[in-house]
Amino acid sequence: MHIRVVFAGRNYDRTQAVPARLELPDEATLEDALEDLQTLLAGKGIELPQSCLVAVSGVHLGTLRAHQAHPLCDGDELLLLAPVAGG
């Protein structure tokens, strides 16, 4: 299956070298996708903050640190939103 990956928020521009789509096994879950992404990013010296929000096809599932288990379907969109704070 293929899923679309979207990064937004703090330092999203550093993730431009990561493919916009991931190819995963048919029975893949959110956890599988996140592990693959974190491996790809680590190879480029990028680490996503654990406070990064996670949503699949418009459904918020938590953060990288604490998210709900969720099966993936071909064509899903995985959104990772790194919160921005400041004043």
Side-chain angles (χ1 to χ4, degrees):
M1 90 172 74
H2 290 89
I3 64 166
R4 182 171 178 238
V5 180
V6 177
F7 293 96
R10 181 180 64 203
N11 295 326
Y12 78 92
D13 55 322
R14 295 181 60 206
T15 62
Q16 297 303 314
V18 176
R21 296 197 181 278
L22 278 182
E23 184 173 344
L24 299 165
D26 288 340
E27 301 297 320
T29 64
L30 172 59
E31 192 63 34
D32 297 326
L34 292 175
E35 286 177 11
D36 282 6
L37 279 175
Q38 289 180 332
T39 299
L40 283 170
L41 291 170
K44 298 178 183 309
I46 302 167
E47 184 176 339
L48 294 173
Q50 292 298 301
S51 60
C52 196
L53 303 177
V54 177
V56 173
S57 295
V59 177
H60 177 250
L61 298 170
T63 64
L64 280 180
R65 181 181 305 112
H67 54 270
Q68 300 172 29
H70 189 77
L72 295 174
C73 298
D74 189 47
D76 273 345
E77 178 183 85
L78 171 58
L79 170 66
L80 298 162
L81 175 62
V84 178

